[in-house]
Amino acid sequence: MTTNIKAKQLELLLHDFELLSRTAMIQMQITTKLLNDNTIESLYEEAESNEIIMDRLEIKVREEVVFTIFQFNPIAADLRKIITYQDLTTNLERIGDMLLNIIHFLKKVDLSTPYFEDIKKLISKMVQYTSEMLRNAIFSFSNEDSHIAYQVIEDDDKVDELYHQIGLSLQETFADKKLSKQEIQNMINVNSISHNLERIGDSATNIAEATIYLTEGKDIRHGNKQ
């Protein structure tokens, strides 16, 4: 009986993780849509509702992790996976926060001016790369596939490079120009969007590193490759 209850508890953790993952990907899809058209008001309302769901799920998983450890005293393999759920849900919740930040910045920014034509392309690439990193990081954990997890970690370099490109592009585009208040605000918003996307890449990398720890028992954080 106890074994069956423990299995059901682990299934509950998996279910909540999958729901949190799906909601994070929906937020990413909303971000992509708003980058192309930031006038769709219904998407902002949906994003705010999704953020509430993600916050509640993160709290729920944290409580379930504590309950599972306390109630069932899991063996080492199960314990490692349970702790990994906690790490992953924390990172997914952070990703949700950063996506909502981006969505708020998109509501205020005007990327339709000629000044931002090339920069918008770079942001679109960043959104594409971070979306792929997040999807692959979730997939790597769900399927315990460390090969894909390592690929996610490598892909973070592409996101970092785009982040630096956007910073340089903003400097080159506006360095010698007299800017209006709106242009200054746009600059700040664009920089904030790229900064949050870079951090999403970091959090997706954290998920991939947690997957490697789960599947290989290796902690490769902080440059530790041993």
Side-chain angles (χ1 to χ4, degrees), residues 29-120:
Q29 292 166 8
I30 290 173
T31 301
T32 302
K33 291 176 183 177
L34 289 172
L35 183 60
N36 295 320
D37 182 1
N38 67 349
T39 64
I40 308 174
E41 286 296 329
S42 60
L43 291 180
Y44 295 107
E45 296 172 5
E46 183 180 352
E48 295 289 348
S49 297
N50 287 337
E51 173 64 11
I52 294 172
I53 292 171
M54 294 187 72
D55 286 345
R56 289 177 177 173
L57 281 170
E58 193 269 337
I59 293 171
K60 186 170 183 282
V61 169
R62 186 169 65 236
E63 291 173 347
E64 286 168 356
V65 164
V66 173
F67 172 79
T68 304
I69 294 172
F70 177 77
Q71 188 72 16
F72 299 109
N73 191 24
I75 60 174
D78 285 341
L79 181 60
R80 181 183 292 172
K81 189 159 192 174
I82 291 165
I83 296 300
T84 304
Y85 275 125
Q86 175 64 62
D87 290 342
L88 267 61
T89 53
T90 297
N91 277 283
L92 284 171
E93 193 274 335
R94 288 173 183 165
I95 287 172
D97 288 343
M98 290 179 278
L99 284 170
L100 192 64
N101 289 342
I102 294 168
I103 289 166
H104 288 162
F105 289 125
L106 284 171
K107 191 171 187 178
K108 297 182 287 186
V109 74
D110 180 7
L111 295 175
S112 63
T113 61
Y115 286 148
F116 288 102
E117 185 174 347
D118 291 335
I119 293 173
K120 183 178 179 181

Side-chain angles (χ1 to χ4, degrees), residues 14-218:
L14 175 61
H15 175 269
D16 287 341
F17 168 75
E18 290 176 343
L19 181 54
L20 185 60
S21 300
R22 286 197 298 270
T23 309
M25 290 307 305
I26 290 171
Q27 291 291 75
M28 185 65 80
Q29 292 166 8
I30 290 173
T31 301
T32 302
K33 291 176 183 177
L34 289 172
L35 183 60
N36 295 320
D37 182 1
N38 67 349
T39 64
I40 308 174
E41 286 296 329
S42 60
L43 291 180
Y44 295 107
E45 296 172 5
E46 183 180 352
E48 295 289 348
S49 297
N50 287 337
E51 173 64 11
I52 294 172
I53 292 171
M54 294 187 72
D55 286 345
R56 289 177 177 173
L57 281 170
E58 193 269 337
I59 293 171
K60 186 170 183 282
V61 169
R62 186 169 65 236
E63 291 173 347
E64 286 168 356
V65 164
V66 173
F67 172 79
T68 304
I69 294 172
F70 177 77
Q71 188 72 16
F72 299 109
N73 191 24
I75 60 174
D78 285 341
L79 181 60
R80 181 183 292 172
K81 189 159 192 174
I82 291 165
I83 296 300
T84 304
Y85 275 125
Q86 175 64 62
D87 290 342
L88 267 61
T89 53
T90 297
N91 277 283
L92 284 171
E93 193 274 335
R94 288 173 183 165
I95 287 172
D97 288 343
M98 290 179 278
L99 284 170
L100 192 64
N101 289 342
I102 294 168
I103 289 166
H104 288 162
F105 289 125
L106 284 171
K107 191 171 187 178
K108 297 182 287 186
V109 74
D110 180 7
L111 295 175
S112 63
T113 61
Y115 286 148
F116 288 102
E117 185 174 347
D118 291 335
I119 293 173
K120 183 178 179 181
K121 291 177 183 177
L122 294 175
I123 292 175
S124 294
K125 281 186 179 179
M126 267 192 103
V127 171
Q128 177 188 340
Y129 286 152
T130 52
S131 180
E132 289 172 358
M133 284 181 68
L134 176 58
R135 185 183 303 108
N136 288 337
I138 293 168
F139 181 87
S140 71
F141 172 75
S142 298
N143 293 274
E144 297 189 15
D145 190 329
S146 60
H147 176 74
I148 293 177
Y150 280 112
Q151 185 60 56
V152 170
I153 295 169
E154 289 182 16
D155 288 344
D156 191 42
D157 289 341
K158 298 177 184 178
V159 175
D160 290 342
E161 177 59 28
L162 283 168
Y163 176 59
H164 293 306
Q165 284 184 35
I166 290 171
L168 289 172
S169 184
L170 286 170
Q171 293 177 40
E172 293 169 359
T173 301
F174 296 103
D176 300 320
K177 292 183 174 64
K178 185 176 181 180
L179 303 177
S180 67
K181 182 178 179 181
Q182 181 60 52
E183 287 169 339
I184 293 172
Q185 187 63 53
N186 284 341
M187 255 182 57
I188 294 172
N189 289 335
V190 165
N191 187 65
S192 297
I193 288 168
S194 64
H195 174 66
N196 277 274
L197 285 169
E198 190 270 339
R199 290 179 63 203
I200 289 171
D202 290 343
S203 288
T205 297
N206 292 342
I207 293 173
E209 290 172 344
T211 297
I212 292 167
Y213 176 71
L214 172 66
T215 56
E216 299 182 3
K218 293 195 299 187

